[in-house]
Amino acid sequence: MSENPIEIVNLRKEYGRFTAVNDLNLTIKKNSFTGLLGPNGAGKSTTLKILTHLINATSGEAYLNGIDVTKDPKRALQDVGTVIETPEFYPYLTPRETFRYVGELIGMNREQISAETQSILEKVKMTEWQDKRLGTFSKGMRQRIALGQALLDDPRIIILDEPTSGLDPRGMAEIREVLKNLRNDSKDLTIVMSSHILPEVQDLCDRIAFINHGTLLMDDDISAFESTSGARNVIAKVDGLPTDDMISAIDSLDYVISAERLGNDISINIGSDASLRSRLYKDLAEMDMKVYSLTEEDSLEETYLNLIKESR
Ligand code: ADP
Ligand code: MG
């Protein structure tokens, strides 16, 4: 097929009359860390479950390293580590025993498993827990073990479905740190992670694929969304709700391109000239509008919200 580690072609999944994945086309670039971003129900898990052969597609193809997982799952998944949903491990096994169990399942020999176990335990920061039973672990610790077993046999592709979901803030931060280190330690590694949390994707990923209703809406480098050039809107938060009078007063300032209501805030377009910001600040103060915050709109967040809105 191609050089791309993952290639999804016209992938479709129907549940009765409901279409969860709607002729999805997506290419994952080699050595990227791609965030599959979309709101709940977008079809992320369904897509990743087909990709990892946990469920069958209704139609379409999904290639891993050029091999169609719908036709030859064993070979397609040979060089792929996965964490889909928090896996249930045996509570009476320790991390080391769990890795041995999983390693043998995927056809590794004992020497190879023990050789990798220490470094994986370090990577997922579980060394000091290696001989404790999983039954006593927090959800975050179990998730780090899940991540660890995905690293067995040193895969070149890692597929993670919402790896921080259901964790407390500390657990989330730990998983994110492990993922960051993974990225930094190996450039020859393609990671795909689904998430509904935009800041998480921004923090970790270099590529972003937005999906909603089972369809790809946008697919690009994160930097393409975050470019600082070009106009960004300024968001003014005022005490109480913005009135029409306020909005038209702002709109009539000569350097303001447009002003409009955005929820309970006012979104003001002043073009890309940064010096106009302080002028706007001063003018708003003089208009006595009780502005308590003036921030630049996050262009990626705006794109995300607009895409969700438009695809409703
Ligand atoms: P995400 O992971 O992006 O939150 P999912 O892939 O889990 O979304 O689900 C996509 C849509 O498919 C949702 O509307 C969900 O309710 C539906 N869905 C998922 N699994 C099933 C199933 N086994 N039977 C029926 N509908 C399902
Ligand atoms: Mg999901």
Side-chain angles (χ1 to χ4, degrees):
M1 186 74 195
S2 68
E3 293 300 292
N4 296 312
I6 302 178
E7 189 92 49
I8 293 173
V9 186
N10 293 331
L11 195 69
R12 192 169 183 87
K13 179 67 181 181
E14 291 167 2
Y15 291 109
R17 286 168 57 204
F18 179 77
T19 304
V21 177
N22 194 355
D23 298 334
L24 179 72
N25 288 287
L26 174 62
T27 298
I28 303 293
K29 291 202 167 163
K30 193 165 164 61
N31 298 336
S32 69
F33 191 156
T34 299
L36 185 63
L37 181 68
N40 288 327
K44 305 180 294 296
S45 296
T46 306
T47 302
L48 297 185
K49 282 179 189 165
I50 295 170
L51 204 51
T52 53
H53 199 59
L54 293 172
I55 59 173
N56 289 315
T58 303
S59 58
E61 294 131 52
Y63 296 87
L64 290 153
N65 290 323
I67 303 158
D68 190 346
V69 72
T70 64
K71 302 213 170 76
D72 191 352
K74 198 157 185 265
R75 221 156 57 83
L77 289 165
Q78 213 156 45
D79 206 14
V80 183
T82 67
V83 181
I84 309 287
E85 294 168 342
T86 309
E88 286 306 319
F89 296 117
Y90 293 112
Y92 48 84
L93 294 186
T94 67
R96 257 180 339 144
E97 290 162 349
T98 303
F99 288 175
R100 190 161 81 199
Y101 174 76
V102 175
E104 282 176 356
L105 271 184
I106 62 173
M108 296 170 75
N109 64 42
R110 289 222 169 171
E111 292 71 48
Q112 198 193 350
I113 296 168
S114 7
E116 288 188 13
T117 292
Q118 280 313 315
S119 85
I120 292 178
L121 284 168
E122 274 165 38
K123 278 185 185 159
V124 301
K125 301 183 196 301
M126 287 299 288
T127 308
E128 59 177 306
W129 301 91
Q130 57 184 302
D131 294 314
K132 299 276 191 302
R133 293 175 198 276
L134 265 63
T136 65
F137 289 2
S138 69
K139 186 153 192 240
M141 291 159 79
R142 288 205 303 275
Q143 190 66 345
R144 279 184 278 154
I145 294 303
L147 215 56
Q149 61 77 34
L151 301 178
L152 283 164
D153 212 16
D154 203 20
R156 296 277 72 83
I157 300 177
I158 294 178
I159 298 175
L160 309 168
D161 189 18
E162 306 238 17
T164 65
S165 121
L167 303 184
D168 61 19
R170 183 164 151 226
M172 282 185 161
E174 280 166 348
I175 291 282
R176 286 178 192 159
E177 202 195 324
V178 169
L179 293 176
K180 270 188 195 167
N181 292 341
L182 266 189
R183 160 82 309 172
N184 293 335
D185 291 350
S186 171
K187 299 297 173 215
D188 182 19
L189 181 66
T190 305
I191 311 176
V192 179
M193 172 192 87
S194 72
S195 176
H196 66 280
I197 307 167
L198 175 67
E200 173 169 280
V201 169
Q202 270 176 299
D203 186 27
L204 296 173
C205 301
D206 47 56
R207 297 261 318 165
I208 189 162
F210 286 118
I211 81 164
N212 201 10
H213 303 304
T215 304
L216 185 71
L217 300 172
M218 197 173 274
D219 174 29
D220 214 330
D221 289 347
I222 286 231
S223 57
F225 295 99
E226 291 179 335
S227 90
T228 46
S229 62
R232 279 208 203 170
N233 291 348
V234 170
I235 304 295
K237 291 183 179 293
V238 295
D239 268 349
L241 294 175
T243 63
D244 291 343
D245 284 349
M246 278 182 192
I247 291 166
S248 56
I250 297 170
D251 205 12
S252 63
L253 293 167
D254 58 2
Y255 55 89
V256 167
I257 298 164
S258 67
E260 53 193 57
R261 192 187 312 271
L262 184 80
N264 293 337
D265 308 325
I266 307 169
S267 170
I268 307 163
N269 182 348
I270 50 171
S272 52
D273 183 352
S275 71
L276 292 175
R277 259 188 83 165
S278 56
R279 198 165 147 200
L280 175 68
Y281 212 32
K282 191 164 147 281
D283 286 340
L284 290 177
E286 277 170 11
M287 288 175 182
D288 208 20
M289 280 192 190
K290 304 217 169 20
V291 174
Y292 66 86
S293 137
L294 207 55
T295 51
E296 210 158 87
E297 195 162 40
D298 183 326
S299 58
L300 184 51
E301 184 175 11
E302 187 191 1
T303 307
Y304 184 42
L305 295 176
N306 281 338
L307 283 170
I308 291 174
K309 205 158 62 190
E310 283 163 19
S311 65
R312 248 188 206 133

